[in-house]
């Protein structure tokens, strides 16, 4: 219902441009220091989109620039790169810091990753707090994690109930036909990205 028919930057009807024209238009926004355009271009380098060759170091360079301009998504992507050692040397402490910056700006998956980090460090109390926040933002994976922690005795019944109520409220609040239409698209993109990183 129009999801892929409008420009992601200006929302005007999307004309089907060639890859080179698209890149030129994006580059114009990059030159204007638009953090979303910079992050978009980084994604293209990361995944080899828009006719570009995969170039992880260039993607990291662009995400770093976008992060300097405050891009939440760029902080998250840098956390992912440092966590996995993609395009940069693996550095778990830098990954954690970038995930913290993204989570502070409301990135729900980064918040979940912080919970994972605390779980790995043996801090179930801190991890439950991160998972509670991301579950209340509508992340089902965090809700399921808290449920597992409750079963294992690492979270209380009250924490699980709070997470469940918050999750249900977030889902109800954000329900729309447009989101239903977008979900399969984003699921495919996420699955593709996961397969590329294997």
């Amino acid at each position: 219902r129009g999801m892929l028919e409008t420009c992601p930057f200006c929302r005007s009807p999307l004309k089907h441009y060639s890859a080179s024209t698209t890149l030129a238009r994006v580059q114009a926004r990059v030159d204007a220091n638009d953090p979303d355009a910079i992050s978009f271009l980084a994604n293209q380098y990361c995944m080899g989109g828009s006719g570009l060759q995969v170039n992880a170091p260039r993607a990291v360079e662009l995400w770093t620039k976008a992060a300097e301009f405050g891009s939440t998504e760029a902080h998250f992507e840098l956390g992912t790169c440092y966590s996995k050692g993609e395009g940069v040397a693996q550095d778990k402490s830098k990954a954690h810091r970038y995930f913290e910056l993204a989570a502070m700006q409301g990135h729900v998956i980064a918040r979940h990753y912080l919970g994972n980090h605390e779980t790995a460090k043996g801090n179930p109390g801190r991890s439950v707090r991160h998972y509670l926040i991301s579950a209340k933002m509508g992340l089902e994976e965090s809700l399921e994690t808290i449920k597992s922690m409750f079963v294992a005795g690492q979270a209380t019944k009250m924490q699980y109930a709070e997470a469940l109520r918050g999750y249900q409220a977030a889902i109800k609040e954000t329900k729309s036909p447009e989101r239903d239409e977008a979900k399969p698209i984003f699921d495919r993109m996420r699955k593709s990205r996961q397969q590329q990183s294997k």
Side-chain angles (χ1 to χ4, degrees):
R1 219 165 74 172
M3 178 80 182
L4 299 175
E5 297 170 10
T6 59
C7 173
F9 303 112
C10 68
R11 305 290 185 234
S12 64
L14 189 62
K15 297 176 183 165
H16 296 285
Y17 297 108
S18 66
S20 61
T21 302
T22 299
L23 284 176
R25 292 170 62 88
V26 169
Q27 189 61 51
R29 297 300 314 142
V30 169
D31 293 343
N33 293 327
D34 178 337
D36 292 330
I38 296 167
S39 191
F40 176 85
L41 186 57
N43 283 325
Q44 300 311 298
Y45 275 108
C46 179
M47 296 189 288
S50 298
L52 294 172
Q53 294 292 323
V54 172
N55 185 339
R58 177 70 175 134
V60 169
E61 178 186 327
L62 288 165
W63 278 320
T64 301
K65 182 177 179 181
E68 290 169 2
F69 287 112
S71 170
T72 303
E73 194 61 34
H75 282 115
F76 174 75
E77 294 294 349
L78 285 168
T80 302
C81 289
Y82 279 103
S83 177
K84 296 178 178 181
E86 294 176 353
V88 291
Q90 189 174 34
D91 186 332
K92 295 290 186 179
S93 65
K94 275 189 179 181
H96 182 72
R97 182 66 188 137
Y98 280 115
F99 286 141
E100 280 182 331
L101 291 168
M104 286 188 284
Q105 293 178 11
H107 197 286
V108 65
I109 298 172
R111 178 65 66 180
H112 181 84
Y113 285 4
L114 291 175
N116 292 347
H117 178 78
E118 292 299 335
T119 297
K121 284 176 47 179
N123 297 326
R126 288 182 63 127
S127 65
V128 167
R129 286 195 290 273
H130 286 296
Y131 294 138
L132 269 169
I133 292 169
S134 52
K136 289 177 181 181
M137 293 171 74
L139 188 64
E140 186 175 7
E141 188 176 354
S142 292
L143 176 65
E144 292 302 319
T145 302
I146 292 175
K147 181 180 178 181
S148 297
M149 292 177 80
F150 168 62
V151 170
Q154 296 176 320
T156 66
K157 183 177 183 178
M158 194 166 77
Q159 288 171 320
Y160 176 58
E162 181 182 350
L164 183 59
R165 281 191 307 273
Y167 171 79
Q168 290 170 336
I171 295 303
K172 182 179 178 183
E173 187 176 303
T174 59
K175 188 89 171 127
S176 74
E178 292 81 11
R179 286 181 187 269
D180 292 342
E181 179 185 350
K183 186 176 182 347
I185 295 168
F186 287 111
D187 288 346
R188 279 195 308 273
M189 290 170 53
R190 186 177 305 121
K191 198 175 285 185
S192 171
R193 180 98 190 260
Q194 288 170 346
Q195 289 172 349
Q196 283 183 346
S197 66
K198 287 182 181 178

